[in-house]
């Protein structure tokens, strides 16, 4: 019984998140969300092939990003991942720079943090490295990480 409740409420939460994202159909927001995804995927220091495949599949079927041209989403993701593969520090700096474009747009920033939290938890294990990266994203956006239970 509790598992059905949890599953149902997670589904509702994702649907609500998708509805919120649909309000922000602009390139800066999409790039910030995708860069946040790449940052969470690279939280352990690398983005291996399985993480890339999993993230690409998530981006393609994501209700949160269905309002954007999938080719652009994948292009932005591949660039972000390429930056991490070239150098982790450069990838992280570039991702945070892209994310910072929506700083001051609090509703967009909050939705972005909720999306990357959902991505971190998508595999059932929102680990300490992923939570740490999401805290950095919240800080970059001028948000209090405690607001998101981080």
């Amino acid at each position: 019984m509790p598992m059905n409740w949890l599953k149902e409420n997670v589904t509702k939460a994702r649907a609500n998140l998708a509805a919120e994202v649909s309000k922000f159909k602009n390139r800066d927001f999409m790039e910030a969300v995708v860069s946040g995804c790449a940052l969470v995927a690279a939280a352990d220091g690398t983005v291996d092939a399985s993480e890339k495949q999993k993230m690409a599949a998530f981006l393609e079927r994501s209700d949160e990003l269905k309002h954007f041209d999938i080719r652009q989403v994948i292009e932005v993701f591949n660039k972000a991942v390429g930056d991490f593969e070239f150098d982790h520090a450069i990838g992280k700096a570039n991702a945070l720079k892209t994310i910072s474009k929506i700083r001051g747009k609090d509703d967009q920033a909050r939705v972005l943090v909720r999306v990357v939290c959902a991505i971190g938890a998508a595999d059932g294990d929102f680990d300490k490295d992923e939570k740490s990266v999401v805290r950095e994203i919240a800080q970059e956006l001028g948000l209090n990480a405690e607001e998101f239970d981080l």
Side-chain angles (χ1 to χ4, degrees):
M1 186 78 138
M3 208 48 144
N4 287 341
W5 178 89
L6 179 64
K7 186 176 181 179
E8 184 177 306
N9 283 288
V10 167
T11 302
K12 284 180 189 173
R14 296 256 341 244
N16 290 340
L17 197 52
E20 288 183 67
V21 170
S22 71
K23 294 188 289 189
F24 309 120
K25 295 180 184 177
N26 66 72
R27 185 157 178 105
D28 284 347
F29 178 73
M30 181 271 288
E31 289 180 353
V33 169
V34 174
S35 294
C37 293
L39 200 47
V40 170
D44 64 359
T46 62
V47 183
D48 64 31
S50 69
E51 285 174 310
K52 277 194 273 190
Q53 290 171 344
K54 183 173 76 173
M55 191 60 63
F58 176 85
L59 295 172
E60 286 178 357
R61 69 177 192 278
S62 167
D63 285 339
E64 293 87 351
L65 295 171
K66 71 182 177 188
H67 307 285
F68 300 104
D69 180 341
I70 191 60
R71 292 174 306 226
Q72 290 179 346
V73 170
I74 298 296
E75 179 184 309
V76 171
F77 180 70
N78 285 337
K79 184 200 175 306
V81 168
D83 289 348
F84 278 103
E85 289 172 343
F86 178 73
D87 181 271
H88 186 79
I90 288 172
K92 184 175 182 177
N94 286 343
L96 289 171
K97 179 180 175 189
T98 300
I99 288 166
S100 73
K101 290 179 183 178
I102 65 165
R103 184 183 178 99
K105 299 173 184 171
D106 285 355
D107 16 343
Q108 291 183 39
R110 282 185 173 80
V111 170
L112 182 147
V113 173
R114 289 199 294 276
V115 169
V116 295
C117 284
I119 287 166
D123 63 359
D125 179 29
F126 193 20
D127 68 37
K128 67 177 179 54
D129 293 333
E130 291 166 334
K131 286 180 181 175
S132 175
V133 164
V134 176
R135 277 192 296 274
E136 284 184 71
I137 290 170
Q139 183 178 2
E140 184 69 31
L141 293 168
L143 301 174
N144 182 348
E146 290 175 12
E147 181 181 334
F148 304 95
D149 297 325
L150 297 169

